[in-house]
Amino acid sequence: AQSVTQPDIHITVSEGASLELRCNYSYGATPYLFWYVQSPGQGLQLLLKYFSGDTLVQGIKGFEAEFKRSQSSFNLRKPSVHWSDAAEYFCAVVPHGGFQKLVFGTGTRLLVSP
Amino acid sequence: GAVVSQHPSWVICKSGTSVKIECRSLDFQATTMFWYRQFPKQSLMLMATSNEGSKATYEQGVEKDKFLINHASLTLSTLTVTSAHPEDSSFYICSAPGGAAQPEQYFGPGTRLTVT
């Protein structure tokens, strides 16, 4: 079945440590790929996106993501986490031919410890 | 950048009443808008696609008579929750694509609905 998987429900990282959030998708053709962040009670903010081209994508707030076709993955990374990065992170895709409909992963809650 | 607003940001209503939520694209036109529902600590689930000038299309399992969607203009879509019940309490978020055939979407800040 076509889906977006975020295998980690919660992740706790020490402030200043590196971060990697995992995302895998199962679609026949590579979809458009996105990472969004949501603070409690807030809407979604786009961190970065991948449509084509360079597989390492730079986003806002120091985040980057790498698209790996062979692994059907689009993992999000940050070299040094700040306490303000604590939030819910969603990987999402728009399948080709999907009429712009976003399909979201289940989300990963990031906790940052002092 | 493209901005999407929602109103109200939160609303409390009594069971059996109806509530209308507005979604506006402030600096761009949107022939299509999307409505999502998010329960606490869960992901976003697409409810329906709002189409300017035509009927909305609903995802499987979403009651179209309960969640009325009207796309009145190129910048406004409304979601009306009719005869609301406590189980309809949720966070409702709208989004709009940046342009025709554009996969990127811009999200509103969301509306917290509590039905008592």
Side-chain angles (χ1 to χ4, degrees), chain B residues 17-88:
Chain B
T17 62
S18 296
V19 174
K20 180 184 286 187
I21 302 170
E22 294 184 348
C23 177
R24 293 181 186 272
S25 55
L26 296 185
D27 49 3
F28 67 104
Q29 293 182 335
T31 56
T32 301
M33 292 184 175
F34 298 93
W35 287 96
Y36 298 85
R37 180 164 58 182
Q38 184 181 32
F39 291 109
K41 300 188 179 183
Q42 294 189 24
S43 188
L44 284 76
M45 296 300 296
L46 180 64
M47 299 175 65
T49 303
S50 174
N51 304 298
E52 191 269 337
S54 64
K55 291 182 180 180
T57 53
Y58 292 81
E59 296 300 301
Q60 191 172 10
V62 177
E63 300 174 62
K64 62 180 181 181
D65 295 329
K66 181 169 187 61
F67 299 99
L68 301 180
I69 291 173
N70 182 34
H71 202 130
S73 73
L74 288 171
T75 59
L76 174 64
S77 173
T78 59
L79 168 68
T80 301
V81 183
T82 63
S83 186
H85 291 283
E87 57 265 31
D88 298 322

Side-chain angles (χ1 to χ4, degrees), chain A residues 20 22 24 26 37 43 46 48-50 60 69 73 84 92 99 104 114:
Chain A
E20 182 170 29
R22 296 182 290 166
N24 293 92
S26 59
V37 61
L46 178 66
L48 44 76
K49 61 191 176 187
Y50 175 79
I60 63 171
R69 185 187 305 275
S73 69
S84 60
F99 302 103
F104 284 88

